[in-house]
Amino acid sequence: MSMLHRLFNFHGGVKPAYNKEASTQQPIAVSPAPTFLVIPLHQSIGGTPRPLVQAGDKVLKGQRIGEADGNVSSAVHASTSGTVTAVEMRLMPHTSGLPALCVVIEPDGRDEWITRTPFDYRNATPTQTRDYLRDAGVVGLGGAVFPSHLKLNPGKSGKLDTLVINGAECEPFITCDDVLMRERAEATVKGIAIMREMLAAGRVLVGIEDNKPEAIAAMEKAVAGEKDMAVIVVPTRYPAGGAKQLIRVLTGIEVPHGKRSTDYGVQCFNVGTAYAIYEAIALGQPLVSRIVTVAGNVEKARNYEVLFGTPMADLIALCDAKPDTDRLIMGGPMMGVRMPADSVPVVKATNCVLVGSPILFPPPPPEMPCIRCGECAKACPADLQPFELYWFSRAKIFGKAQEYNLFDCIECGCCAYVCPSHIPLVDYYRFAKSEIWAREKEKEAADEARVRYEFRLFREEREKEEKAARLAAKTAAGREKAAAALASVDQPTTTPEEDAKKALIAAALERAKAQKADAAPQNTEQLTSEQQAEIAAIEARRAEIREMAKPHLPPDN
Amino acid sequence: MNNSPYFLKPASVQSVMLRVLAALIPGIAVYVWFFGAAILVQIGLASAAALVAEAIMLKLRGKPLALFLTDGSALVTAWLIALTFPSIAPWWLTVLGTLIAIVVAKHLYGGLGQNPFNPAMVAFALMIVAYPQLMSQWPAVGATEFATQLDAIFGFRHLDAMAMATPLDALRTALHTAEAKATVAGVLGENAAVGNIGGKGWEWIGAGYLLGGVWLVQQRIITWHMPVAFLATLFAVAGLFSLIDNAQFAGPLFHVFTGGAMLGAFFIVTDPVSGATTPKGKLIFAAGVALLTWVIRTFGAYPDGIAFAVLLMNIAVPLIDMYTQPAVFGHKNGEHS
């Protein structure tokens, strides 16, 4: 039920054309299984799952084909029954255009499930439940694909004030959460109730932007029986669906960059994730499909329930892409990433396949100089001064960029959207961030090399002394004396001289370590797994750029 | 290949600049009403000079001509020069001022977006130092006959009959030279051409600029910070001193409605390129300009102080911006990342 609830404002934001009507005219349809499913093993933040199958294996729908690599990882499953035809490198749905290990399955058409057993989480320890969810492949479906089991932990205090459920869906064109809430509100609320129990959350606030009246009505009806659970209608303004922005709007709490929201008594999940948790726990179904919006330059925009691994081309074929289509974007127009080809598969992160054309997304007008008008600062939801970051990034004054909180930038694109000079601001920040990460990596490598070198000097010195001792043992008097000398070398506590040297080396190592700790820039400490994944992605892009640049460089490069 | 975001708000530098020009129109209309059409000739002269200078400089710097020439920024500078120079100034004075603004103050510093000083104010300051006499000859109210004005602009005759000092200048000269006999009330009252609030005609031109300026705020081209801080500070300091001695110090209303105060508040201190950018910084910057303006008007040797005040504060902008960075999301309680 709806109740009076104080809303807080977040700074900035923009109101682009939402374009959400076209894909919400019809209910969710089921996308048929394609000829081949290409299921990437790495579909979440964290470690890459280890393949559990090989070519020739028969698999059932929901059978685990990739095992979570450690706890910061999430399992991957066969989306339908069939035969594994290959475990090989395939093109990934990522701008880099780099391949990664995928399990290719030829469906047998029977769509035969594994034995599905609901998980009795009430009679399981929290750790058991989290392990179950990790093995069921449940990750954040808002687009970040962070393993959900890691977030279903109330932290030190053992309880949480507020569980925020994100149904804001602020990006233009995307409506997968909207239709999910319209059609599967009850199941979603059941999933929310499970999460709430696991987190011992006092209250639950479901935030939905006011441009989704049907979803609001359905969710209000579904939460009616739940205690301290309310649907809160929030004003439509991009990026109100950013986790931090929504937490701020609903609770007034600002979770700083790099901090855990549970330390502030809040945790935030996407509605799609709540539904996936319901399926995993109440139905015993691992995550094998999701709702994907197909919109943009298509005749028939619609939401589909899509099996992971379905090539985007197969999905687009259902919607009749118009002839002038020039690109596919995974995600929305503000933050989405351009796909290297239409053969890439739908994955857990695919909330939308946005079909583009030069008319729908025209090339930006020519870039003009920054006139410091401050429009970007007015639009920035992180309260940054984007034009200052732009000047610093452009001039490669990265230290200053960090000082001006470059790493608090969430790359939402608001600044670039409003810039009257049409400066691709976010590209500048991506560039600066990747440069800073690269430099830090280089510095770390250099530090390690120095430590290795110092150790080598120490070792060589020790070996020299050992040799001298042996020599002395051979030439000088009596075997006993020689044996004593050798023993003294072998043991760590030897001559005072040697001890002093060791102490010196230890001190040097200590200093180097301290220097390293001092020199490490503040912003990049305690990186979240999302950021590490981002770094990895950027590294991949850089590698690709280096490859491309090779022919143009002198041979020794 | 471009990255996200894939679509942009329909905004451009050109649309910003054109709206600034549009916002000047009410003030210009009132100007013509009280002081004749000479100002339009000056605007034309300055615009032509600015575009030619801009084109040559762009060509020399190898910049795309069509893109930058049509951005409207040179026109804004030109119009501001025309509006701050006397409308019956000789043509070459306006042209020379405009060339200095565009060539030196803008392009030699790196062109659009790079100039640390407000180009129009650089032009004004240089011209008033070099030609104080010519820069002080303003048209008298009522002397609006166009042919005579044209003669003053293009002819080489000096037309003392139609020229006079601005009320601000008249007041300053009287107070500085009449050895304690002159009072504010005396000067402003006895001079028939000087009106009630900011000087006859001037207060209405000011009102015109105010109208256009409020529209600019509504259009989100400028924020309220600078005009409010500027006018409030000028009002406060003038008010305070006229309370102390209203014979020696002109009142607050006079100050905010005379000379270039309204034009300055909405169109000059608000120049984004050379001004402060943070909300707090904008308040400090504009208040500083207002304070210096009052000091120069009251104790200085020049008829108006806005140009010098703006240039002095322009120097302080990097410092102001550095010390007024707003707290970012999540760090508002003094926590640092």
Side-chain angles (χ1 to χ4, degrees):
Chain A
M1 58 170 273
S2 144
M3 61 178 196
L4 281 177
H5 179 87
R6 187 188 160 196
L7 290 183
F8 297 82
N9 199 5
F10 70 90
H11 177 264
V14 295
K15 291 182 176 177
Y18 284 95
N19 293 301
K20 287 177 186 268
E21 300 75 23
S23 58
T24 51
Q25 299 306 309
Q26 285 179 294
I28 303 165
V30 175
S31 156
T35 327
F36 286 99
L37 286 164
V38 180
I39 305 174
L41 285 163
H42 193 229
Q43 293 194 48
S44 73
I45 301 292
T48 303
R50 288 183 294 273
L52 298 172
V53 291
Q54 52 192 21
D57 287 359
K58 296 254 183 266
V59 290
L60 292 175
K61 180 173 189 168
Q63 181 179 332
R64 207 140 40 102
I65 56 175
E67 182 188 24
D69 176 35
N71 205 33
V72 187
S73 181
S74 188
V76 176
H77 304 77
S79 323
T80 187
S81 59
T83 312
V84 176
T85 61
V87 180
E88 61 184 18
M89 301 296 273
R90 288 290 186 97
L91 200 56
M92 292 293 279
H94 189 276
T95 322
S96 68
L98 290 176
L101 200 58
C102 296
V103 175
V104 185
I105 296 172
E106 184 176 13
D108 59 14
R110 287 203 288 274
D111 205 29
E112 193 184 332
W113 273 101
I114 49 165
T115 319
R116 285 169 282 175
T117 326
F119 184 79
D120 185 6
Y121 69 100
R122 288 202 167 110
N123 287 315
T125 65
T127 310
Q128 282 170 334
T129 311
R130 284 195 284 269
D131 287 352
Y132 172 79
L133 288 172
R134 179 195 66 208
D135 294 339
V138 179
V139 297
L141 295 183
V145 288
F146 190 82
S148 299
H149 64 278
L150 297 172
K151 281 171 72 183
L152 282 166
N153 192 335
K156 280 163 259 163
S157 65
K159 62 181 170 55
L160 203 65
D161 296 329
T162 311
L163 171 59
V164 168
I165 300 296
N166 190 343
E169 200 169 52
C170 59
E171 268 240 24
F173 288 100
I174 308 178
T175 58
C176 59
D177 291 345
D178 186 356
V179 294
L180 172 85
M181 291 186 285
R182 290 186 199 197
E183 297 185 29
R184 304 176 188 173
E186 267 185 43
T188 304
V189 170
K190 279 180 189 158
I192 296 172
I194 295 169
M195 290 196 282
R196 169 211 227 147
E197 252 182 85
M198 289 184 70
L199 289 166
R203 61 172 179 169
V204 181
L205 303 175
V206 184
I208 308 175
E209 278 191 345
D210 59 13
N211 61 354
K212 302 175 191 58
E214 292 93 340
I216 292 166
M219 288 299 282
E220 281 184 339
K221 201 171 146 222
V223 303
E226 304 282 336
K227 196 169 159 284
D228 290 327
M229 189 185 295
V231 171
I232 310 295
V233 180
V234 302
T236 298
R237 182 158 52 107
Y238 178 86
K244 285 182 179 178
Q245 280 66 39
L246 189 65
I247 289 172
R248 157 92 193 150
V249 169
L250 294 180
T251 67
I253 295 167
E254 287 190 5
V255 181
H257 166 75
K259 294 278 167 63
R260 287 171 201 275
S261 63
T262 45
D263 292 345
Y264 296 78
V266 216
Q267 188 59 288
C268 179
F269 288 92
N270 174 263
V271 283
T273 315
Y275 180 77
I277 281 173
Y278 160 79
E279 280 196 323
I281 298 228
L283 306 182
Q285 283 180 203
L287 189 62
V288 295
S289 66
R290 66 161 297 152
I291 304 172
V292 179
T293 306
V294 185
N297 199 43
V298 290
E299 299 289 350
K300 294 181 280 182
R302 192 168 183 177
N303 281 284
Y304 287 90
E305 178 88 43
V306 187
L307 301 175
F308 298 133
T310 303
M312 287 185 186
D314 289 57
L315 184 58
I316 299 306
L318 302 171
C319 303
D320 300 344
K322 293 177 189 169
D324 61 338
T325 293
D326 69 343
R327 78 195 98 165
L328 293 185
I329 293 160
M330 186 169 98
M334 297 298 288
M335 291 184 81
V337 289
R338 194 171 174 166
M339 295 293 98
D342 64 359
S343 61
V344 295
V346 166
V347 291
K348 292 177 184 179
T350 315
N351 48 8
C352 177
V353 176
L354 185 55
V355 182
S357 75
I359 294 166
L360 197 56
F361 305 127
E367 187 179 331
M368 297 277 286
C370 169
I371 56 167
R372 295 165 35 106
C373 65
E375 273 300 304
C376 51
K378 279 190 239 165
C380 180
D383 306 82
L384 297 167
Q385 299 280 299
F387 60 92
E388 300 276 17
L389 294 175
Y390 157 73
W391 286 108
F392 294 137
S393 303
R394 197 184 136 106
K396 299 186 184 166
I397 309 171
F398 297 126
K400 269 283 188 192
Q402 273 179 283
E403 214 177 282
Y404 279 65
N405 301 298
L406 171 68
F407 284 90
D408 285 53
C409 166
I410 57 171
E411 300 182 17
C412 65
C414 287
C415 52
Y417 176 77
V418 299
C419 179
S421 292
H422 317 119
I423 302 169
L425 292 162
V426 187
D427 285 356
Y428 281 98
Y429 311 145
R430 290 186 188 120
F431 161 73
K433 285 179 183 175
S434 67
E435 283 298 307
I436 291 168
W437 283 323
R439 281 175 192 204
E440 271 165 30
K441 236 181 194 171
E442 274 162 27
K443 204 185 150 300
E444 261 170 45
D447 284 345
E448 272 170 31
R450 198 180 58 236
V451 170
R452 268 201 307 274
Y453 175 69
E454 280 165 357
F455 183 73
R456 199 183 90 191
L457 288 184
F458 160 71
R459 199 189 60 217
E460 283 171 355
E461 190 64 24
R462 189 184 63 189
E463 277 166 3
K464 220 155 73 188
E465 278 166 24
E466 280 173 359
K467 218 170 166 185
R470 277 199 209 95
L471 208 66
K474 258 186 194 168
T475 52
R479 281 169 181 275
E480 280 174 24
K481 216 175 174 184
L486 256 179
S488 77
V489 170
D490 285 346
Q491 273 158 25
T493 50
T494 45
T495 62
E497 216 177 298
E498 221 166 323
D499 281 347
K501 192 167 276 166
K502 272 185 187 165
L504 267 176
I505 290 165
L509 286 175
E510 202 54 47
R511 268 203 309 279
K513 223 164 128 189
Q515 259 175 14
K516 197 173 136 192
D518 282 349
Q522 305 165 317
N523 272 325
T524 50
E525 273 177 7
Q526 306 161 325
L527 287 180
T528 64
S529 319
E530 281 109 320
Q531 286 161 336
Q532 279 166 4
E534 201 181 343
I535 295 172
I538 287 164
E539 277 304 318
R541 276 210 295 273
R542 288 167 56 85
E544 185 203 8
I545 291 164
R546 272 199 294 275
E547 279 305 309
M548 280 161 60
K550 247 182 195 165
H552 310 289
L553 291 173
D556 57 319
N557 268 322
Chain B
M1 192 185 93
N2 66 311
N3 293 319
S4 63
Y6 301 97
F7 64 171
L8 306 178
K9 193 178 174 178
S12 65
V13 173
Q14 188 190 46
S15 112
V16 170
M17 297 296 172
L18 291 184
R19 277 182 284 172
V20 171
L21 292 180
L24 284 168
I25 289 173
I28 295 171
V30 182
Y31 202 132
V32 172
W33 176 264
F34 281 100
F35 296 103
I39 184 62
L40 300 179
V41 176
Q42 298 286 4
I43 289 174
L45 280 170
S47 300
L51 290 176
V52 170
E54 179 96 344
I56 292 170
M57 291 312 287
L58 288 170
K59 188 89 188 153
L60 286 175
R61 295 178 56 224
K63 298 279 171 188
L65 205 63
L67 179 65
F68 282 94
L69 204 54
T70 54
D71 69 16
S73 62
L75 286 182
V76 171
T77 303
W79 286 32
L80 289 177
I81 288 171
L83 291 172
T84 47
F85 280 34
S87 64
I88 50 168
W91 66 271
W92 57 266
L93 191 75
T94 309
V95 170
L96 186 60
T98 309
L99 292 180
I100 286 168
I102 299 293
V103 175
V104 179
K106 186 178 182 183
H107 282 284
L108 292 190
Y109 277 102
L112 179 67
Q114 308 280 345
N115 47 293
F117 297 107
N118 187 317
M121 293 302 101
V122 169
F124 185 92
L126 269 175
M127 290 294 107
I128 204 162
V129 171
Y131 306 100
Q133 214 53 42
L134 290 174
M135 288 293 283
S136 306
Q137 298 295 315
W138 290 78
V141 180
T144 58
E145 204 202 319
F146 191 50
T148 327
Q149 290 189 330
L150 277 186
D151 228 8
I153 297 171
F154 292 106
F156 295 91
R157 281 186 300 142
H158 203 74
L159 295 172
D160 283 329
M162 61 176 296
M164 61 172 287
T166 60
L168 191 62
D169 203 12
L171 179 68
R172 187 188 54 79
T173 313
L175 290 178
H176 279 218
T177 53
E179 287 142 29
K181 271 190 198 155
T183 62
V184 171
V187 176
L188 296 183
E190 79 192 15
N191 193 334
V194 173
N196 311 319
I197 302 176
K200 198 164 277 174
W202 291 102
E203 59 218 21
W204 289 106
I205 296 175
Y209 292 139
L210 174 65
L211 186 72
V214 169
W215 180 71
L216 278 187
V217 175
Q218 186 266 330
Q219 289 284 300
R220 290 171 51 99
I221 301 278
I222 58 173
T223 63
W224 59 268
H225 302 82
M226 291 218 195
V228 168
F230 178 86
L231 293 174
T233 307
L234 189 58
F235 191 92
V237 67
L240 181 70
F241 277 85
S242 77
L243 274 182
I244 294 169
D245 182 357
N246 67 3
Q248 288 301 307
F249 298 103
L253 277 175
F254 175 77
H255 268 287
V256 300
F257 273 101
T258 200
M262 281 295 170
L263 186 66
F266 290 97
F267 297 91
I268 294 172
V269 295
T270 52
D271 170 38
V273 174
S274 58
T277 52
T278 64
K280 235 187 271 173
K282 285 177 180 176
L283 295 175
I284 295 170
F285 176 79
V289 174
L291 203 62
L292 288 171
T293 297
W294 182 84
V295 169
I296 296 168
R297 276 179 173 185
T298 309
F299 305 109
Y302 293 105
D304 203 344
I306 293 179
F308 294 104
V310 166
L311 295 177
L312 284 170
M313 288 309 289
N314 281 161
I315 302 171
V317 161
L319 197 70
I320 295 173
D321 276 351
M322 194 169 89
Y323 283 110
T324 56
Q325 285 298 310
V328 307
F329 189 95
H331 302 302
K332 288 182 186 143
N333 304 322
E335 285 179 64
H336 203 74
S337 48

